[in-house]
């Protein structure tokens, strides 16, 4: 083997070795790797907090509290039960979406719209995105109870 062939062989081996050792691409802060690792299911991205809400409550006291919150927090400005307005109709939303998905969407609408395919699809149908609610998990659970009673 001549010297040129040996040099090329060593260079090719070096390139393959370096390529095998490179770290996966990220945007500098590891967010892309975290995002890829988060499982997206019918409940939404698993790394978005859902306040521990796993099911639609049927407690009449929570339903009443949720109705009050739905009014006082301004949800009625964009949502009606029987028809879409500035936001989607919510009358049967607990039949179409899981409680964890609803909790994530209510508590973190911007993150959900950015990362959840179902939330992106819904958002694409309306002119304005859902605004942040700043609701606690307890308030969110009450609103979900109210939606479930519709």
């Amino acid at each position: 083997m001549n010297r040129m062939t040996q040099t090329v062989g060593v260079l090719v081996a070096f390139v393959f070795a370096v390529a095998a050792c490179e770290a996966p691409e990220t945007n500098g802060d590891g967010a892309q790797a975290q995002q890829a690792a988060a499982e997206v299911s019918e409940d939404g991205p698993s790394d978005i907090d859902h306040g521990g809400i796993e099911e639609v409550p049927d407690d009449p006291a929570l339903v009443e509290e949720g109705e009050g919150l739905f009014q006082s927090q301004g949800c009625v400005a964009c949502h009606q039960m029987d028809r879409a307005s500035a936001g989607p109709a919510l009358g049967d939303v607990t039949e179409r979406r899981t409680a964890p998905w609803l909790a994530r969407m209510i508590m973190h609408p911007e993150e959900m719209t950015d990362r959840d395919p179902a939330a992106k699809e819904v958002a694409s149908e309306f002119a304005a995105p859902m605004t942040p609610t700043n609701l606690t998990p307890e308030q969110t659970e009450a609103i979900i109870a109210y939606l479930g009673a519709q």
Side-chain angles (χ1 to χ4, degrees):
M1 209 187 289
N2 70 27
R3 189 144 178 87
M4 178 68 116
T5 305
Q6 284 180 324
T7 303
V8 169
V10 169
L11 284 174
V12 169
F14 178 76
V15 168
F16 281 116
V18 169
C21 293
E22 284 184 12
E25 288 184 38
T26 67
N27 62 2
D29 65 358
Q32 185 178 15
Q34 288 175 350
Q35 214 170 19
E39 180 182 325
V40 176
S41 70
E42 69 175 3
D43 293 340
S46 62
D47 64 332
I48 297 177
D49 177 42
H50 69 294
I53 300 167
E54 297 295 336
E55 56 187 46
V56 178
D58 62 359
D59 177 351
L62 272 179
V63 171
E64 186 176 336
E65 179 185 348
E67 181 177 15
L69 286 165
F70 194 83
Q71 301 291 328
S72 69
Q73 294 297 311
C75 304
V76 296
C78 297
H79 297 286
Q80 295 184 21
M81 296 301 152
D82 60 345
R83 65 183 174 83
S85 55
L90 297 179
D92 64 347
V93 72
T94 59
E95 296 171 21
R96 293 180 281 128
R97 304 283 181 228
T98 67
W101 189 94
L102 290 169
R104 288 180 170 106
M105 190 65 196
I106 291 169
M107 293 191 301
H108 309 285
E110 292 173 332
E111 245 186 296
M112 284 289 284
T113 302
D114 286 345
R115 297 181 40 212
D116 181 75
K120 283 181 187 181
E121 183 180 332
V122 170
S124 73
E125 298 172 17
F126 299 93
M130 184 170 162
T131 58
T133 63
N134 300 313
L135 294 172
T136 67
E138 294 78 19
Q139 292 171 317
T140 300
E141 185 175 42
I143 288 175
I144 292 172
Y146 169 65
L147 295 174
Q150 301 310 301

